[in-house]
Amino acid sequence: MKMHVLSGGRLRMKKSIYFPDADRSEMLELPVSCMLLRHKQGNVLFDTGCHPSVAENPEARWGSLSKFMVPIMPPGEHVLSGLKAVGLGPDDIDVVVCSHLHTDHCGCNEFCKKSTIVVHALELEAAKAPDAVNSGYFPADWDQPIPMKVIEGETDLFGDGRITLLPLHGHSRGTIGALVALDKSGEFLLTSDALSIRANLDREIVPRNTWNAEQFLDSFATIRRIEAGGATVVCSHDSAQWDTLRKGQDAYD
């Protein structure tokens, strides 16, 4: 199995969202990470990033959210381009794992028409709530005519221990991560927004965009336990870590 790191876009947000003591005028640039897992039983995409249209007209897709989560990537920087660079198209994706259903993590789901979407039951419930749009859940992203597999707990995706989906709730009701076991590169824990920026874990800081702080800290404990076992922890929006990761065709195996 190989793991390819793909860009799902890039955002600018207030630093105080992630570090509440920061000056309200200070900003952060945040990569949006997606992972392609080329398993012998099928191609798996862990998160699909931002929709291509938000690079040029974010307000049309995101409304007022685009004032607080500002896309700063050039047109063409999205997961579809990343797939093309490694010789694949969206029709080659067999499984899309949605870590959660916020718009910057499932914006390209609609293009993966031949896949099965995997999502946690609690997350789907949150996305269907009457006020869900105010929390960053947009039906245009997640409510697609594509088969959906709803999970409720730890799930071994192919039954061989290669891709294990883990509840990492707290950022949202049903956030999940993936523990990926590679032959040469070892284990990687894809945390999604259970750990957006490494410094939050190191300094035990709960971001302001957290649904449930107690569950979030429980997920921190899970991340620490798995890291102590030797896994490499991959954050969803950490610019410093992003710069160190192999990208595109330079896969982990």
Side-chain angles (χ1 to χ4, degrees):
M1 187 170 72
K2 294 182 181 294
M3 182 176 78
H4 299 260
V5 179
L6 308 179
S7 174
R10 196 168 185 89
L11 308 170
R12 181 180 291 120
M13 293 177 64
K14 287 187 175 182
K15 185 176 181 179
S16 60
I17 295 292
Y18 294 96
F19 304 97
D21 291 339
D23 188 287
R24 296 295 292 272
S25 65
E26 197 170 355
M27 307 298 287
L28 286 174
E29 292 192 4
L30 307 171
V32 178
S33 63
C34 304
M35 300 291 169
L36 170 65
L37 306 169
R38 303 183 79 160
H39 190 280
K40 64 182 179 181
Q41 294 187 49
N43 292 317
V44 179
L45 194 56
F46 182 84
D47 283 349
T48 65
C50 301
H51 190 275
S53 67
V54 302
E56 297 182 269
N57 188 0
E59 191 171 357
R61 182 104 178 167
W62 289 356
S64 60
L65 179 66
S66 63
K67 298 177 182 178
F68 306 100
M69 192 170 74
V70 182
I72 57 172
M73 63 281 193
E77 185 180 336
H78 46 69
V79 78
L80 303 179
S81 299
L83 289 173
K84 185 177 181 180
V86 298
L88 298 178
D91 283 350
D92 296 310
I93 301 303
D94 300 289
V95 179
V96 172
V97 175
C98 290
S99 68
H100 60 303
L101 296 176
H102 287 161
T103 187
D104 57 320
H105 290 263
C106 62
C108 287
N109 282 19
E110 66 178 89
F111 301 102
C112 301
K113 299 182 186 300
K114 295 184 178 181
S115 70
T116 297
I117 306 290
V118 179
V119 65
H120 196 280
L122 292 175
E123 191 65 11
L124 188 58
E125 185 178 310
K128 291 180 175 180
D131 61 346
V133 171
N134 296 329
S135 299
Y137 295 107
F138 299 126
D141 294 324
W142 64 265
D143 192 7
Q144 296 291 329
I146 299 173
M148 186 173 284
K149 178 181 178 179
V150 180
I151 64 172
E152 295 189 355
E154 184 174 315
T155 302
D156 186 338
L157 196 58
F158 292 116
D160 60 359
R162 292 290 191 172
I163 305 172
T164 305
L165 307 182
L166 305 169
L168 292 175
H169 305 334
H171 168 73
S172 69
R173 287 191 66 188
T175 303
I176 57 175
L179 185 60
V180 177
L182 302 177
D183 286 330
K184 297 178 182 178
S185 301
E187 288 190 324
F188 289 79
L189 177 60
L190 312 181
T191 64
S192 183
D193 284 0
L195 182 58
S196 298
I197 299 174
R198 177 73 202 202
N200 288 117
L201 181 70
D202 294 340
R203 294 160 56 187
E204 194 79 356
I205 295 172
V206 176
R208 289 167 56 203
N209 60 351
T210 298
W211 173 74
N212 183 295
E214 183 178 354
Q215 290 185 17
F216 190 87
L217 290 172
D218 286 344
S219 293
F220 267 7
T222 299
I223 293 168
R224 288 192 179 100
R225 174 179 55 78
I226 293 172
E227 183 175 48
T232 298
V233 171
V234 180
C235 309
S236 59
H237 298 299
D238 191 302
S239 186
Q241 184 185 52
W242 176 257
D243 290 342
T244 70
L245 296 173
R246 304 176 198 168
K247 312 293 195 310
Q249 291 184 334
D250 189 11
Y252 294 88
D253 55 14

